[in-house]
Amino acid sequence: QQQVKQSPQSLIVQKGGISIINCAYENTAFDYFPWYQQFPGKGPALLIAIRPDVSEKKEGRFTISFNKSAKQFSLHIMDSQPGDSATYFCAASFAGGYQKVTFGTGTKLQVIP
Amino acid sequence: NAGVTQTPKFQVLKTGQSMTLQCAQDMNHNSMYWYRQDPGMGLRLIYYSASEGTTDKGEVPNGYNVSRLNKREFSLRLESAAPSQTSVYFCASSAIPDRDGYTFGSGTRLTVV
């Protein structure tokens, strides 16, 4: 039961370009949408997160766009750099307390010089 | 500032053997989680502990047991390992997941032959 669908599975972008990763969710009760970044051999690390009452959130070169009516959200990486090469996971959870997070299947991003 | 510490980092088991994966966090977080990561399937929740003294099943609990030994430690046990349990296992913890996200350990790569 895949509650968060992520695409593409892999992505190659040239240095300086824009990387775009898309996610769609099914459960309208989800209230928190984080993105995690994972480098090889490491655990995922929280990158940026958004709540559904906001349509966009920007932190440096990373932007989340959120479309509540379409139940979709996306991560944009502006001016992509080789150091951004990693696997990115979108995720969703319910609000409050210990709520467990449901992850997408991941996107492996490669930024080539 | 150790964060979340997992041991061991690598393990090879024979089918039918048992082992315990250890996880400890030093951030005074209430909730702790065990995920497995498999290619193309993202991160799937095995078990979680909302607080000391409580544990609950996640998405893929079959073949596993957990113990929340105290607030710091949350262990995952494989009683009779199977090749299908070959995976990378991540422990995570959080104070308030929908505010702070998760802090992950660096993972245990387990191979069952």
Side-chain angles (χ1 to χ4, degrees):
Chain A
Q1 183 181 358
Q2 185 62 49
Q3 295 194 58
V4 180
K5 295 184 179 180
Q6 183 172 349
S7 63
Q9 188 172 359
S10 63
L11 182 61
I12 299 175
V13 174
Q14 283 206 313
K15 179 182 175 181
I18 302 173
S19 304
I20 302 173
I21 304 169
N22 300 301
C23 286
Y25 62 97
E26 299 168 1
N27 193 329
T28 56
F30 283 140
D31 196 53
Y32 175 71
F33 300 88
W35 285 86
Y36 284 80
Q37 179 188 54
Q38 184 182 30
F39 293 106
K42 303 291 186 183
L46 180 66
L47 182 64
I48 187 173
I50 198 169
R51 295 191 183 278
D53 56 345
V54 176
S55 61
E56 184 175 284
K57 183 174 181 180
K58 184 176 181 179
E59 290 186 1
R61 296 184 294 108
F62 300 90
T63 300
I64 301 178
S65 298
F66 190 86
N67 186 328
K68 189 174 182 178
S69 60
K71 295 189 289 184
Q72 296 175 346
F73 59 111
S74 59
L75 177 69
H76 291 65
I77 305 174
M78 311 301 288
D79 187 26
S80 298
Q81 300 296 313
D84 298 331
S85 297
T87 299
Y88 292 82
F89 292 95
C90 63
S93 73
F94 305 107
Y98 62 88
Q99 297 300 341
K100 50 193 184 292
V101 175
T102 299
F103 287 86
T105 52
T107 296
K108 187 172 183 179
L109 171 65
Q110 184 181 0
V111 181
I112 55 177
Chain B
N1 56 342
V4 178
T5 302
Q6 290 184 238
T7 56
K9 294 190 182 303
F10 301 94
Q11 184 72 48
V12 178
L13 286 180
K14 294 182 178 179
T15 298
Q17 286 185 320
S18 63
M19 78 162 296
T20 299
L21 280 64
Q22 306 287 351
C23 175
Q25 52 93 8
D26 61 0
M27 297 169 287
N28 201 37
H29 286 169
N30 286 321
S31 57
M32 298 185 73
Y33 310 80
W34 276 104
Y35 281 86
R36 60 178 289 175
Q37 183 176 16
D38 302 290
M41 303 191 76
L43 292 142
R44 292 181 294 167
L45 182 65
I46 304 171
Y47 270 93
Y48 66 100
S49 171
S51 61
E52 184 178 356
T54 68
T55 61
D56 280 291
K57 295 178 180 179
E59 182 185 353
V60 289
N62 291 344
Y64 305 95
N65 284 300
V66 291
S67 295
R68 183 75 182 265
L69 305 171
N70 46 56
K71 192 170 187 179
R72 292 186 63 250
E73 299 172 285
F74 188 39
S75 63
L76 178 71
R77 182 160 179 85
L78 287 71
E79 291 291 351
S80 179
S84 61
Q85 294 177 306
T86 293
S87 186
V88 181
Y89 291 85
F90 287 100
C91 177
S93 70
S94 183
I96 302 176
D98 64 342
R99 181 194 71 186
D100 309 322
Y102 288 171
T103 300
F104 281 88
S106 57
T108 295
R109 184 174 292 275
L110 175 67
T111 302
V112 183
V113 297

